[in-house]
Amino acid sequence: STLSILPTSLPQIHRANMLAQGFPAASKISPLVNKKSKTRWHFGIRSHSYPLDVMGEIYIALKNLGAEWAKPSEEDLWTIRVRWRYDVLENSNAFNSEDGKKIPDLMKMVIQLFQIETNNYLVDFKFDGWESNYGDMTKRSNISEDEMSTFSAYPFLHLTAKLIMELAVNS
Amino acid sequence: LATSSIKHNTLCVASIVRYRQKYVTQILYAPL
Amino acid sequence: ENREKLHVEQKLAIESIRKFLDSKTSYDVLPVSYRLIVLDTSLMVKKSLNVLLQNNIVSAPLWDSKTSKFAGLLTSSDFINVIQYYFSNPDKFELVDKLQLSGLKDIEKAIGAEPLDMASIHPSKPLFEACLKMLNSKSRRIPLIDKDEETHREIVVSVLTQYRILKFVALNCRETHFLKRPIGELNIISEQNVKKCRMTTPVIDVIQLLTQGGVSSIPIVDEEGVLINIYEAIDVLGLIKGGIYNDLSLSVGEALMRRSDDFEGVYTCTRNDKLSTIMDNIRKSRIHRFFVVDENGRLVGVMTLSDILKYILLGE
């Protein structure tokens, strides 16, 4: 085979040739450092604030964003069951998809505060299904988790991003 | 939900979702 | 007799590879576990550049959270449009600097650029169909779109590229070993009107050549026509990242100084090479095109992944 890599196209050799030929800008231009800074991922968001303060900030942010939540039970103050209208300008009759089926537009989410260690807390966000705005549960109730095979994460990612931004901006 | 630290005023959130028999880590970058 | 044998073997191998492409779906090409980076259209263009470079990718699907819909792909063509818009409107630096991804369509219109035909396909459709759609749309990648079965909202499952498909074929079709006819006989090399430039050509002129020719790379030759390097559409990302697009009088040779050190180099071959070795190299390395040179290193033509895919799907 006569397949090969063109030596003069290798960056180091190209740069040496450019400098040798005295191109004016050659000495000023440095190679792009493709720092593949590995994205560091965290579950949810972390907080060192006092637990009740964290919960207060989350309720304020949810209120500012127009979300609703179920009244927390006495024994579990650290879990918030949220219901959030995902109102997009998808189409004029926002609740019908092209094939005429009703599109549920109330997303449910569970936000829970966990203690990792002293003064170190984690706010976890979990998707908890859709509800249609006319109250009845959508057909999800008869689709088990396992059968559910095409789920769009974007509305969940979008709403949690908005909530995290609200918390970041407020704090 | 997974998040990464806010850098350059850009927020990055992610969620690992099963798509049929495969697993997609959906990563969304949005402006703060 | 030997030539005849090679012809028959190649023809049978191609037919077998087509059957394979028809028997598989785009879903089959997807790894068991993978990540998909999506950009919200309200992100600023220069921030999206950081995201692409940081994740070592050159394209990403766009998500319009206002409509909760997929809004096409961000590709190097968009950055080229921004550079050309800025070059024609140097007073609009402020606008360019604050441009959001949702504003790229207006830039496209402002410079009269042809919008990228954004074909997409359902992941369960045959892979052969996805390849045809890609070839017809002149795009080198095709988004796989499905619908959330509960909310009917769009899901961007992944984006298939020609490279990924050819690598999938090279990995799974033993028949590629029988593609032993010289590529010079297959009418697969683009030899006419190959746009080229010199090391001293201003980079803005090279960028114009990219858009006029609808190609993703421009070969750089010396006075004898010997191939020295190439300028690729994705090199524009480094140009913008460095803010050098203020100084577009740079020569293409100087602009290439931005290339990062992990650039693997330009692959060359000759007319006598065979698709069997070409596919073996695609299996092992991330290659996007092959420049065909003669025994003195003079540029003869270019064979892109589109040319190879088109031959596999429709050739013979």
Side-chain angles (χ1 to χ4, degrees), chain A residues 2 4 6 8 15 32 138 152, chain C residues 150 228 258 261 268 270 273:
Chain A
T2 49
S4 67
L6 190 63
T8 50
R15 258 199 292 283
L32 200 61
T138 54
S152 175
Chain C
E150 188 173 2
I228 313 176
R258 286 295 288 163
D261 282 338
T268 62
T270 66
D273 276 302

Side-chain angles (χ1 to χ4, degrees), chain A residues 2-171:
Chain A
T2 49
L3 249 75
S4 67
I5 291 181
L6 190 63
T8 50
S9 69
L10 294 170
Q12 299 81 354
I13 296 178
H14 172 72
R15 258 199 292 283
N17 289 343
M18 292 297 292
L19 290 169
Q21 290 163 40
F23 275 77
S27 51
K28 282 180 270 172
I29 298 174
S30 56
L32 200 61
V33 178
N34 261 356
K35 59 180 182 352
K36 314 261 186 309
S37 52
K38 222 142 160 57
T39 309
R40 279 178 49 76
W41 292 105
H42 311 281
F43 268 116
I45 51 179
R46 292 156 297 159
S47 167
H48 300 291
S49 308
Y50 186 56
L52 275 178
D53 291 349
V54 178
M55 298 308 283
E57 279 181 39
I58 295 173
Y59 280 113
I60 291 169
L62 286 170
K63 186 169 186 304
N64 293 348
L65 292 168
E68 308 169 299
W69 54 86
K71 189 171 178 312
S73 59
E74 275 310 309
E75 54 278 1
D76 184 0
L77 290 174
W78 311 110
T79 301
I80 308 175
R81 295 189 173 286
V82 182
R83 198 170 65 173
W84 202 331
R85 177 181 305 286
Y86 188 67
D87 51 353
V88 287
L89 337 167
E90 191 146 11
N91 45 30
S92 53
N93 45 353
F95 306 126
N96 295 307
S97 64
E98 290 82 17
D99 42 7
K101 290 194 185 119
K102 298 279 182 204
I103 292 185
D105 68 325
L106 288 175
M107 178 191 292
K108 296 198 293 171
M109 196 188 286
V110 176
I111 302 176
Q112 197 157 355
L113 186 71
F114 291 93
Q115 176 168 16
I116 302 172
E117 57 201 4
T118 317
N119 292 339
N120 191 355
Y121 300 92
L122 176 145
V123 183
D124 182 45
F125 304 82
K126 263 189 294 295
F127 174 75
D128 190 35
W130 288 92
E131 241 177 53
S132 48
N133 77 328
Y134 13 65
D136 63 326
M137 286 293 287
T138 54
K139 64 179 171 45
R140 174 188 169 95
S141 44
N142 55 35
I143 289 192
S144 75
E145 282 288 329
D146 288 355
E147 287 159 344
M148 192 66 180
S149 67
T150 58
F151 165 74
S152 175
Y154 298 109
F156 172 65
L157 294 177
H158 174 57
L159 288 185
T160 44
K162 273 174 78 167
L163 180 51
I164 291 170
M165 288 176 210
E166 184 72 18
L167 288 166
V169 168
N170 292 353
S171 68

